[in-house]
Amino acid sequence: MAFRIAEHEDVLLPVMVNLDGFILSHTMQPLETTPAGDFIPPLRLPHAIDTSQPAGYSPLTGPEYYFGFRWEIERSMRDAQQVIREVEEDFAQKFGRRYGPTEEYRMEDAEVAIVAMGTLGREAQVAVDRLRDGGIRAGALRLRWFRPFPRLDLAGREVVVIDRDYSFGFGGVLARSLRATTPCLPFSVIAGLGGQEVTYADIAGFVRQRKPGEEYWFGVNGDV
Amino acid sequence: MAMFEIRIHSRGGQGGVTAARLIALAAFYDGKQATATPFYGAERRGAPIVAFVRICDTAIRTCCQVKEPDLVVVLDPTLLTTVNVLKGLSPGGTVLLNSPHPVALDSFRTVTADLTGIALVLDLVIAGNPVLDTSVLGALAKIGVITLDSAKRAIAENFKDPRNVAAAEKAFSEVAA
């Protein structure tokens, strides 16, 4: 899907596919693979070098064009939302696997939503099962794309965000992105940096001891 | 089947990580979901190493370390005095220990297999180290964690030397479980 999105004429931007280094990259697990078939069409870039139509290319430009290019990037980012949806729909039609901006787990009646990315989002799903066994109606939202940042509907729910990142002097990037786009006051947990072990039991603990609006560095600045 | 969790203790170079991957692969061939995860610390030859295997009928979502294993595998008996290999072991859990003679460990069911002896008999030695990470699958098949057929298939797909499969068969026939 990344190729289709990146090469779409309305986007033409690189797509970065991320995975948790060491944690996912070194875990051996069964994967279902699908033959790509004709899902990815031959590459056709509108500005590819064509010797029959010589043109000048330069990585450098002056201010009169530069700022316009910046706008073009942002316009492509905005258009990418729709392109991603179209490509995902086509993928679902061809391969029977449907995704979306978020992977939702037991969210229908959830009173507390755990929002995370990557393996932490998957670990959160196990935490949700544990929390529900203990009478806490939790659900998990795992973001599948981060930019353009998807609009999430978390109305009426408490939110616990787990960031395996930090923007120094500002906050957890996911928590801050969420607060900027969705009316919510998340409990922001910073955890797992540098390979710190974060278990589903730890995540269940974050939820049990959530303090809306506050930030907590797991294992570093004391107990919640 | 509920999730079955294994922790493997070995020393760097003994093949604990490889064993974890082979066990997971064999379990996958048995039709199960399985993951193998090494714990990366200061890995170097001779240093204590830990690796984990999870086996389940349904998809495994957790990636974290195994804290409460159902089975502990100890490839080097000298680790018994330096590492708490029994830490978190579930009540009624099993220890598979590479040892030429029977050992009793607390109240846990302890199965011993002379994996080093098997490697030496078969002359399955690489760079001076007896190979343990393939024969251990035979012992685990005997305990019932994986089937012997899947163990042999996983080994044969990863190692050309037929003595690796022979070592697993030998362990399977020798272990009293």
Side-chain angles (χ1 to χ4, degrees), chain A residues 45-57:
Chain A
L45 294 173
H47 309 295
I49 294 173
D50 179 356
T51 50
S52 68
Q53 292 186 313
Y57 292 86

Side-chain angles (χ1 to χ4, degrees), chain A residues 22-24 26-31 105 119 122-123 125-126 129 195 197-200 202, chain B residues 5 21-22 24-25 28 32-38 40 54 60-65 67:
Chain A
F22 273 106
I23 295 161
L24 195 60
H26 287 63
T27 298
M28 184 173 125
Q29 61 181 347
L31 287 177
Y105 184 73
T119 56
R122 220 168 56 163
E123 200 77 32
Q125 296 174 356
V126 186
D129 291 344
E197 167 91 339
V198 184
T199 69
Y200 50 84
D202 296 326
Chain B
E5 298 182 307
R21 298 175 73 87
L22 291 173
L25 187 60
F28 177 67
K32 305 278 177 56
Q33 293 284 318
T35 62
T37 315
Y40 280 94
R54 286 189 170 92
I60 299 165
R61 293 186 297 248
T62 180
C63 277
C64 65
Q65 296 169 32
K67 298 280 167 55

Side-chain angles (χ1 to χ4, degrees), chain A residues 28, chain B residues 17-26 29 126 133-134 137 150-162 164-165:
Chain A
M28 184 173 125
Chain B
V17 172
T18 305
R21 298 175 73 87
L22 291 173
I23 295 162
L25 187 60
Y29 289 148
I126 295 175
D133 50 13
T134 46
L137 268 74
S150 294
K152 285 157 68 176
R153 181 177 165 199
I155 294 167
E157 277 191 7
N158 284 276
F159 295 96
K160 282 180 190 155
D161 191 331
N164 286 293
V165 170

Side-chain angles (χ1 to χ4, degrees), chain A residues 7 21 66-67 77 95 98-99 117 152 166 210 216-217:
Chain A
E7 293 166 8
Y66 179 87
F67 197 45
M77 271 294 223
F95 304 114
R98 190 173 295 277
Y99 299 97
M117 298 187 285
L152 304 182
Y166 201 76
R210 64 193 178 278
Y216 167 57
W217 288 55

Side-chain angles (χ1 to χ4, degrees), chain B residues 15-162:
Chain B
V17 172
T18 305
R21 298 175 73 87
L22 291 173
I23 295 162
L25 187 60
F28 177 67
Y29 289 148
D30 283 335
K32 305 278 177 56
Q33 293 284 318
T35 62
T37 315
F39 173 68
Y40 280 94
E43 61 270 19
R44 36 188 204 281
R45 201 152 277 268
I49 295 282
V50 182
F52 312 103
V53 182
R54 286 189 170 92
I55 301 171
C56 196
D57 284 333
T58 52
I60 299 165
R61 293 186 297 248
T62 180
C63 277
C64 65
Q65 296 169 32
V66 171
K67 298 280 167 55
E68 294 175 351
D70 301 289
L71 171 74
V72 167
V73 177
V74 183
L75 289 182
D76 188 334
T78 68
L79 287 168
L80 292 177
T81 54
T82 56
V83 178
N84 182 7
V85 300
L86 302 177
K87 189 178 179 187
L89 182 59
S90 305
T94 303
V95 181
L96 172 62
L97 178 67
N98 172 24
S99 167
H101 48 80
V103 177
L105 293 170
D106 289 353
S107 57
F108 297 106
R109 175 189 174 213
T110 307
V111 178
T112 53
D114 185 13
L115 304 178
T116 304
I118 289 170
L120 294 176
V121 165
L122 294 171
D123 195 25
L124 191 57
V125 178
I126 295 175
N129 292 320
V131 174
L132 311 173
D133 50 13
T134 46
S135 58
V136 71
L137 268 74
L140 288 168
K142 191 62 168 282
I143 293 172
V145 176
I146 47 177
T147 64
L148 184 61
D149 282 346
S150 294
K152 285 157 68 176
R153 181 177 165 199
I155 294 167
E157 277 191 7
N158 284 276
F159 295 96
K160 282 180 190 155
D161 191 331

